[in-house]
Amino acid sequence: MIISQNTLKWVMRLYPPLFFQRIWVQKFENEFRSCTVKLSKSFLNKNYNGSIFGGTIYAATDPFYALLFDQLMQRRGFKVRVWLKSASIQYLKPGRSNLYFTIKVTDEMIAEAEEALKTIGKFVKAYPMEITDKNGELCATVMNEVYIRNLHQGETPRVAY
């Protein structure tokens, strides 16, 4: 389903798995080419060391590449199914304050996905993410592998994220 940036921002803000972990979408920009997310430290996501629970950091990175690619490909006329195929995370420093990340989808990334969808019908590629604290210090790096499949006629689309 094609949706506006503002509507999707609010849907994601209120989506219970993100809301209760204090994962807050700050904005979608440039016609879904970028997304900025804040992880607010609170008693709901703090571990016994006083830092943000690693699972919260991991969960925060899960849906956003898939969401961006889904909206971008639909706007280009593709009927697609998109999801996160795999992910890996490296925790570099405890998140003792709010954490932030911004992801961007470039013209080259879109062109590569579009070409694969037109020729072989699917696209799989891993993209990096960096999670920083309020001082800009790197706390974690993540690799998210996105899977995009061009749906054929007759298949019923389902939301996969």
Side-chain angles (χ1 to χ4, degrees):
M1 157 181 15
I2 294 178
I3 191 168
S4 76
Q5 292 179 148
N6 193 49
T7 300
L8 186 56
K9 174 183 75 175
W10 281 99
V11 166
M12 296 305 291
R13 283 180 175 181
L14 300 175
Y15 183 52
L18 302 182
F19 180 79
F20 289 111
Q21 292 189 73
R22 310 282 292 148
I23 300 164
W24 192 255
V25 177
Q26 292 186 309
K27 58 187 169 184
F28 287 103
E29 288 187 298
N30 303 324
E31 298 174 357
F32 288 102
R33 288 175 181 254
S34 92
C35 177
T36 303
V37 177
K38 175 183 177 181
L39 288 77
S40 298
K41 181 181 167 189
S42 82
F43 76 94
L44 294 173
N45 63 17
K46 190 168 61 167
N47 65 22
Y48 70 94
N49 289 320
S51 61
I52 295 177
F53 176 61
T56 297
I57 299 168
Y58 200 60
T61 65
D62 182 285
F64 296 104
Y65 269 116
L67 286 170
L68 293 177
F69 272 108
D70 180 64
Q71 291 298 310
L72 288 165
M73 293 299 110
Q74 284 189 65
R75 283 170 166 71
R76 284 165 175 69
F78 288 95
K79 181 179 175 186
V80 293
R81 179 166 298 138
V82 184
W83 66 82
L84 179 67
K85 184 174 180 186
S86 69
S88 64
I89 190 166
Q90 293 289 316
Y91 300 102
L92 306 172
K93 179 183 172 205
R96 299 201 185 279
S97 67
N98 296 339
L99 299 178
Y100 305 86
F101 66 89
T102 299
I103 61 173
K104 296 181 181 185
V105 178
T106 65
D107 289 337
E108 293 78 23
M109 293 162 69
I110 295 167
E112 186 178 14
E114 235 178 311
E115 181 62 27
L117 292 174
K118 287 177 183 175
T119 57
I120 60 173
K122 70 178 180 176
F123 176 74
V124 181
K125 185 154 184 183
Y127 296 104
M129 302 170 80
E130 294 184 337
I131 293 88
T132 59
D133 64 14
K134 65 181 180 182
N135 299 319
E137 294 183 51
L138 190 61
C139 293
T141 59
V142 179
M143 284 298 288
N144 278 358
E145 186 178 34
V146 177
Y147 177 95
I148 307 172
R149 185 168 136 215
N150 194 358
L151 298 178
H152 299 289
Q153 274 185 327
E155 183 172 344
T156 305
R158 285 175 264 150
V159 176
Y161 42 80

